């Protein structure tokens, strides 16, 4: 049998438009594809629905808005509106409004299905709006999905985060996808469940799932979706009938105990829906089993990898009497299937990330069973810690637990000698987790200069790249939630002899909610200077534009209206404000960034709240714009004459720039400028040094200039010998090592796509 030909005309949009077969998708692309699939499903059913997406960026969903923008024309053609909201709370409120459409006589669509997205802490911020939205309900042909980006390992957050417990508090059902394919299936399931029950449905988007990419079998997803029952058929199969008055969106909904009653009824409806339409899977069936394992979300594939390393195929486990059950609806769990799974078992091990969400519910389901099995999870039978609730799970953290548990009951399943993890104790210790590359400002980053404070002063960071000043000997320390910048000082100031602090505040955070912190500081009469770092992009999450109109003069007028005692503007190009000063409050001062120390010394002596707006475009964003031709590249390049350089390092001190590199010579350590990473900020020349040379009108020579001739690259590649095909029977793992900016993500994406185009299942 011959394989299908390898495609050479592959386009990324194919991932979003394909209706069958296999596609390669990242988790973020799956979320973009979701509303397109729902719209197509509704159209086939004769429903003229529209879609609505709103939220606020933050890892692991930091690039979702960019992906939605890229697909903007496709979304618009399919009646799907994307609103990048000012903050998470307002996004949730906008989503709430979409559910009113179905009962609006002047509506332009039959109904609106919607999804909210946000980082886990953003879910907390939006809690009141989401809680009200779930209580008011979804519309019968609309539905709401609440996508929470959870960073269980605190890789890119102020603290580890899990959204499941908040969802439970709001009586909001939860689906927990373990793969990119399940993001599609569980997302569609969430909307169907929301329409039936009137509840908003939470979807946990863990960083290791949503930031991955893999081959997705659309045919399998479509088969699962086509099997779901709804409406009268579902009611007949489940025996469920909604209460009088229904459970769906109502407006207005006056405060009363009836709201709480409806929330309880919604969970009853969720359980009825799940009894008929299950997304749980019995992965390993064994009729005469005595042991069972229950998994949920990403932890399922961690466990499957443990079995692979122990060389225990599903057939061997089933023969030994071990069952495996994968939970998809993690709250409320579907009790009838779980009870059937547990029947006859003596012991169940629950493997899930962080809090025992499924484990607690499993205990409730089985507490009255006549032959109740022993349930292990976060603790063993003696109450000792077992499956950790701290950090992220991974195969190396599970393998010893699972191997010992199996060996205790079935000595013939003791395969620890087959696993390298047991022969190298360091792999089990996870000691390497403590070894992390410390992040730093980019070359030419405005914060290299803006985060300095005068001698004797203290500064606090907020949410944003400027937080990195905390480890740069800049008298900067602290951390606060987004929008709370400086308000902790309001409570601290009355009880300290420190008279004043500087508070860093990014322009994106200012627009999101930070201006309220300034309002509070003014109301409290605090002595604080807010340093608003205007860099023209939300740099930390990928350089997105701020979600609305904002400018230096608008910020200056707003903070002056709020009660700021003085406003100062600094810039790396202060001349551009010469003809714009009439748009600023009276008394605003304008200085070059070189005057930062003097201006800060003046501001710290003024009682009350003062504001310094430091304007300089993000260096990474400048680089992007120059590559696109949207910003002119300066003609000047700076070099260091090493024959003159004395190696004092003052250029590095002045610029704090990663492009100023040490170089060892026969005469000792000198300095040089790495032209490939230099972003042409020129702050390195701020010191007193005669070794700098300015070259005007010349471009650095590119190493691959010899391949610039048309067709030269193709010829060079053609001369390379073709590698011998690698044949294997199991998974093939490849680790690409490196740091950000060196092409690690690109290499992974290229290899995974290449495997996909060769009709192999791949993931990255």
């Amino acid at each position: 049998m011959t394989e299908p030909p390898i495609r050479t005309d592959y386009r990324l949009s194919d991932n979003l438009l394909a209706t069958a077969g296999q596609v390669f998708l990242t988790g973020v692309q799956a979320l973009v594809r979701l509303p397109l699939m729902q719209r197509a499903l509704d159209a086939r059913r004769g429903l003229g629905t529209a879609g609505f997406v709103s939220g606020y960026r933050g890892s692991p969903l930091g690039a979702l808005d960019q992906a939605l923008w890229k697909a903007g024309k496709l979304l618009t053609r399919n009646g799907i509106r994307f609103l990048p909201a000012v903050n998470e709370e307002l996004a949730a409120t906008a989503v709430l409004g979409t559910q009113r459409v179905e009962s609006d006589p002047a509506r332009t669509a039959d109904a609106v299905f919607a999804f909210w997205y946000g980082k886990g802490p953003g879910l907390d911020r939006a809690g009141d709006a989401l809680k009200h939205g779930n209580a008011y309900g979804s519309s019968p042909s609309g539905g709401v999905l609440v996508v929470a980006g959870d960073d269980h390992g605190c890789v890119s957050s102020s603290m580890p985060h899990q959204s499941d417990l908040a969802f439970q508090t709001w009586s909001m059902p939860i689906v927990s996808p373990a793969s990119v394919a399940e993001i599609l299936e569980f997302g569609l399931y969430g909307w169907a469940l929301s329409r039936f029950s009137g509840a908003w449905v939470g979807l946990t988007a863990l960083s290791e799932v949503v930031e991955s990419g893999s081959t997705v079998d659309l045919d399998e997803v479509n088969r699962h979706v086509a099997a779901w029952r709804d409406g009268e058929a579902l009611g007949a199969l489940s025996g469920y009938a909604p209460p009088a008055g229904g459970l769906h969106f109502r407006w207005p909904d006056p405060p009363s105990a009836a709201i709480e009653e409806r929330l309880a009824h919604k969970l009853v409806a969720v359980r009825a829906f799940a009894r008929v339409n299950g997304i749980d899977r019995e992965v390993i069936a064994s009729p005469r089993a005595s042991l069972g394992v229950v998994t949920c979300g990403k932890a399922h594939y961690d466990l499957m990898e443990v079995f692979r390393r122990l060389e225990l195929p599903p057939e061997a486990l089933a023969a030994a009497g071990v069952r495996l059950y994968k939970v998809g609806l993690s709250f409320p769990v579907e009790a009838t299937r779980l009870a059937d799974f547990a029947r006859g078992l003596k012991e169940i091990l629950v493997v899930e990330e962080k809090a025992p969400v499924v484990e607690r519910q499993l205990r409730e389901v089985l507490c009255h069973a006549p032959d109740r099995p022993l349930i292990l999870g976060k603790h063993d039978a003696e109450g000792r810690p077992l499956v950790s609730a701290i950090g992220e799970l991974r195969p190396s953290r599970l393998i010893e637990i699972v191997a010992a548990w199996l060996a205790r009951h079935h000595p013939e399943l003791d395969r620890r000698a087959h696993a390298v993890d047991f022969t190298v104790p360091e792999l089990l210790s996870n000691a390497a987790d403590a070894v992390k590359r410390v992040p730093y400002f980019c070359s030419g980053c405005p914060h290299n200069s803006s985060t300095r404070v005068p001698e004797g002063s203290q500064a606090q960071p907020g949410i944003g790249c400027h937080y990195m000043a905390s480890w740069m000997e800049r008298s900067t320390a602290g951390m606060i939630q987004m929008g709370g910048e400086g308000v902790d000082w309001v409570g601290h100031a009355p009880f300290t002899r420190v008279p004043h602090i500087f508070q860093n505040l990014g322009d994106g955070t200012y627009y999101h909610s930070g201006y309220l912190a300034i309002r509070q500081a003014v109301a409290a009469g605090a002595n604080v200077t807010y340093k608003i770092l205007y860099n023209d992009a939300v740099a930390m999450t990928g350089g997105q534009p701020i979600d609305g109109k904002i400018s230096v003069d608008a910020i200056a007028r707003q903070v002056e209206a709020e009660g700021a005692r003085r406003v100062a503007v600094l810039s790396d190009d202060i001349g551009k404000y010469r003809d714009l000063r009439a748009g600023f409050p009276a008394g605003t001062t304008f200085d070059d960034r070189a005057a930062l120390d003097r201006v800060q010394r003046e501001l710290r002596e003024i009682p009350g709240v003062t504001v310094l707006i430091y304007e300089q475009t993000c260096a990474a964003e400048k680089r992007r714009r120059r590559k696109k031709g949207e910003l002119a590249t300066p003609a000047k390049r700076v070099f260091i004459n090493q024959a003159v350089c004395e190696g004092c390092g003052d250029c590095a001190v002045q610029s704090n720039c990663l492009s100023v590199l040490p170089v060892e010579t026969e005469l000792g350590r000198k300095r040089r400028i790495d032209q490939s990473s230099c972003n042409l900020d020129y702050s390195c020349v701020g010191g007193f040094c005669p070794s700098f040379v300015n070259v005007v009108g010349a471009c650095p020579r590119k190493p691959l200039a010899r391949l610039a001739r048309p067709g030269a690259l193709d010829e060079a590649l053609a001369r390379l010998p073709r590698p011998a095909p690698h044949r294997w029977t199991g998974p093939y793992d490849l680790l690409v090592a490196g740091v950000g900016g060196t092409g690690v993500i690109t290499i992974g994406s290229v290899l995974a796509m290449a495997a996909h185009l060769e009709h192999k299942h791949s993931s990255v």
Side-chain angles (χ1 to χ4, degrees):
M1 179 177 175
T2 59
E3 288 189 349
I6 297 173
R7 293 182 57 184
T8 57
D9 61 340
Y10 195 89
R11 297 176 302 171
L12 192 59
S13 60
D14 294 346
N15 294 333
L16 303 178
L17 293 170
T19 58
Q22 293 191 339
V23 295
F24 187 88
L25 288 172
T26 67
V28 167
Q29 289 168 353
L31 289 172
V32 176
R33 183 186 166 90
L34 255 182
L36 294 167
M37 293 181 72
Q38 185 61 57
R39 177 68 189 277
L41 278 172
D42 287 344
R44 289 198 294 272
R45 296 166 181 163
L47 268 177
T49 57
F52 184 80
V53 180
S54 189
Y56 192 84
R57 64 189 70 86
S59 59
L61 298 176
L64 178 55
D65 55 359
Q66 292 174 318
L68 288 162
W69 277 317
K70 287 179 181 177
K73 292 181 180 178
L74 181 60
L75 295 173
T76 301
R77 285 201 304 271
N78 285 274
I80 298 162
R81 169 80 187 278
F82 169 45
L83 172 69
V86 169
N87 62 40
E88 300 89 348
E89 178 184 2
L90 299 178
T93 308
V95 165
L96 185 155
T98 66
Q99 300 308 288
R100 295 175 60 182
V101 170
E102 193 164 352
S103 56
D104 179 0
R107 63 184 179 271
T108 57
D110 290 347
V112 178
F113 57 88
F115 88 68
W116 175 98
Y117 69 89
K119 187 181 178 75
L123 180 98
D124 291 342
R125 177 183 178 84
D128 197 24
L130 292 169
K131 182 178 180 180
H132 275 79
N134 184 47
Y136 291 170
S138 59
S139 67
S141 300
V144 176
L145 204 60
V146 180
V147 181
D150 276 354
D151 181 8
H152 284 185
C154 197
V155 175
S156 57
S157 307
S158 56
M159 62 177 63
H161 199 279
Q162 181 182 28
S163 297
D164 304 62
L165 302 181
F167 283 139
Q168 285 184 285
T169 301
W170 306 328
S171 298
M172 194 180 292
I174 311 167
V175 292
S176 299
S179 66
V180 174
E182 287 186 353
I183 290 177
L184 294 178
E185 180 186 344
F186 289 13
L188 296 173
Y189 183 88
W191 271 316
L193 177 58
S194 179
R195 291 174 174 185
F196 181 81
S197 66
W200 291 22
V201 177
L203 184 147
T204 56
L206 272 63
S207 53
E208 283 201 20
V209 178
V210 78
E211 292 181 337
S212 67
S214 72
T215 301
V216 174
D217 187 345
L218 293 178
D219 294 330
E220 184 177 5
V221 172
N222 292 335
R223 279 195 299 273
H224 291 157
V225 174
W228 298 336
R229 308 297 292 275
D230 204 349
E232 293 180 4
L234 194 153
L237 290 168
S238 65
Y240 171 79
L247 299 174
H248 291 93
F249 185 85
R250 59 192 67 216
W251 185 267
D253 197 4
S256 73
I259 294 176
E260 196 172 44
E261 205 171 307
R262 282 197 300 276
L263 283 171
H265 276 298
K266 287 179 184 181
L267 291 181
V268 175
V270 169
R271 293 184 176 98
F273 185 92
R275 276 199 303 275
V276 176
N277 304 315
I279 52 171
D280 296 356
R281 306 275 188 266
E282 188 169 21
V283 179
I284 299 177
S286 182
R288 293 180 295 278
S290 60
L291 298 180
V293 185
V294 174
T295 64
C296 182
K298 180 188 80 70
H300 174 75
Y301 289 108
D302 290 334
L303 179 70
M304 297 306 290
E305 175 63 14
V306 165
F307 289 151
R308 183 174 80 93
R309 293 184 189 181
L310 293 173
E311 298 183 9
L312 285 171
E315 298 78 15
L317 291 165
V322 180
R323 295 177 190 155
L324 174 58
Y325 187 90
K326 178 183 174 298
V327 171
L329 179 67
S330 55
F331 175 77
V333 295
E334 205 294 292
T336 56
R337 292 187 187 86
L338 271 173
D340 289 342
F341 167 81
R343 194 165 290 114
L345 298 181
K346 296 179 180 178
E347 200 164 300
I348 296 176
L349 175 65
V350 182
V351 180
E352 60 183 321
E353 290 262 339
K354 300 192 91 65
V357 173
V358 171
E359 181 185 341
R360 287 173 182 156
Q361 295 177 84
L362 182 61
R363 292 181 189 278
E364 292 180 9
V365 168
L366 301 179
C367 67
H368 298 301
D371 299 314
R372 184 176 61 191
L374 177 65
I375 299 175
L376 311 179
K378 299 305 170 186
H379 297 88
D380 65 12
E382 284 72 42
R384 295 172 300 212
L386 191 61
V387 179
S388 179
I390 308 299
E392 293 180 296
L393 290 184
R394 62 190 63 161
S396 60
R397 298 186 73 188
L398 287 172
I399 192 166
E400 192 170 39
I401 296 167
V402 173
W405 180 69
L406 289 172
R408 188 172 71 250
H409 294 279
H410 294 286
E412 74 277 11
L413 296 181
D414 190 353
R415 306 291 178 84
R416 283 175 281 190
H418 295 252
V420 66
D421 307 67
F422 290 95
T423 61
V424 185
E426 291 81 1
L427 290 178
L428 291 174
S429 71
N430 292 291
D433 287 359
V435 181
K436 294 183 179 179
R437 177 177 179 263
V438 177
Y440 216 77
F441 296 144
C442 299
S443 299
C445 174
H447 303 329
N448 280 319
S449 302
S450 68
T451 54
R452 299 180 190 274
V453 294
E455 186 177 353
S457 285
Q458 299 178 17
Q460 296 184 166
I463 298 297
C465 296
H466 56 267
Y467 173 67
M468 290 184 275
S470 301
W471 48 80
M472 295 184 191
E473 299 181 357
R474 298 202 163 188
S475 302
T476 299
M479 170 53 76
I480 206 71
Q481 82 279 1
M482 195 170 187
E485 285 84 352
V487 180
D488 53 333
W489 171 247
V490 169
H492 181 179
F495 310 102
T496 179
R497 287 186 290 274
V498 176
H500 169 276
I501 66 158
F502 290 94
Q503 175 65 58
N504 292 299
L505 178 64
D507 51 355
T509 301
Y510 172 87
Y511 200 78
H512 172 279
S513 54
Y515 65 90
L516 292 175
I518 296 177
R519 182 180 296 174
Q520 176 62 80
V522 170
N527 289 335
V528 55
T529 296
Y530 278 91
K531 294 169 67 175
I532 300 175
L533 311 174
Y534 187 97
N535 62 2
D536 195 23
V538 185
M540 182 168 266
T541 54
Q544 297 96 328
I546 293 166
D547 302 307
K549 293 183 179 180
I550 184 173
S551 62
V552 174
D553 57 321
I555 294 174
R557 291 192 300 270
Q558 185 170 14
V559 297
E560 190 260 351
E562 294 285 358
R565 301 291 299 277
R566 180 179 159 189
V567 179
V569 176
L570 274 75
S571 173
D572 64 334
D573 182 17
I574 200 64
K576 63 187 175 186
Y577 292 100
R578 188 174 295 111
D579 299 327
L580 303 174
R581 298 189 179 190
F584 286 81
T588 302
T589 59
F590 299 84
D591 290 279
D592 184 83
R593 62 177 177 171
L596 176 64
D597 186 75
R598 172 181 61 78
V599 173
Q600 287 185 117
R601 288 177 184 273
E602 294 172 2
L603 293 177
R604 72 181 180 181
E605 299 301 324
I606 300 173
V609 174
T610 55
V611 173
L612 188 159
I613 306 174
Y614 188 102
E615 184 268 334
Q616 182 181 337
T617 302
C618 165
E621 188 59 23
K622 277 185 177 179
R623 197 177 187 92
R624 293 187 190 103
R625 292 175 187 176
R626 286 167 181 160
K627 285 183 176 180
K628 295 176 183 177
E630 298 172 358
L631 183 68
T633 301
K636 184 174 73 173
R637 287 275 176 174
V638 173
F639 294 83
I640 294 176
N641 185 337
Q642 291 176 9
V644 179
C645 174
E646 296 181 354
C648 69
D650 187 51
C651 50
V653 172
Q654 294 297 323
S655 64
N656 198 47
C657 182
L658 291 173
S659 291
V660 180
L661 302 179
V663 56
E664 303 299 335
T665 72
E666 294 178 353
L667 299 176
R669 175 172 290 184
K670 308 278 190 171
R671 297 293 187 276
R672 70 177 179 88
I673 307 296
D674 181 356
Q675 298 296 328
S676 67
S677 63
C678 176
N679 282 320
L680 309 177
D681 178 60
Y682 308 132
S683 57
C684 53
V685 303
F688 179 75
C689 181
S691 67
F692 282 98
V693 178
N694 294 335
V695 178
V696 179
C699 295
R701 185 171 53 196
K702 295 182 179 180
L704 294 179
R706 56 192 172 85
L707 293 179
R709 179 174 56 81
L713 180 59
D714 292 336
E715 293 171 9
L717 291 174
R719 288 194 295 270
L720 294 175
R722 294 285 296 175
H726 187 85
R727 303 193 181 280
W728 66 94
T729 56
Y732 185 86
D733 299 327
L734 178 67
L735 175 67
V736 181
V739 298
T742 60
V744 175
I745 293 175
T746 301
I747 291 171
S749 299
V750 168
L751 289 172
M753 179 57 74
H756 171 69
L757 294 178
E758 289 188 355
H759 315 292
K760 299 177 175 66
H761 187 284
S762 61
S763 64
V764 59

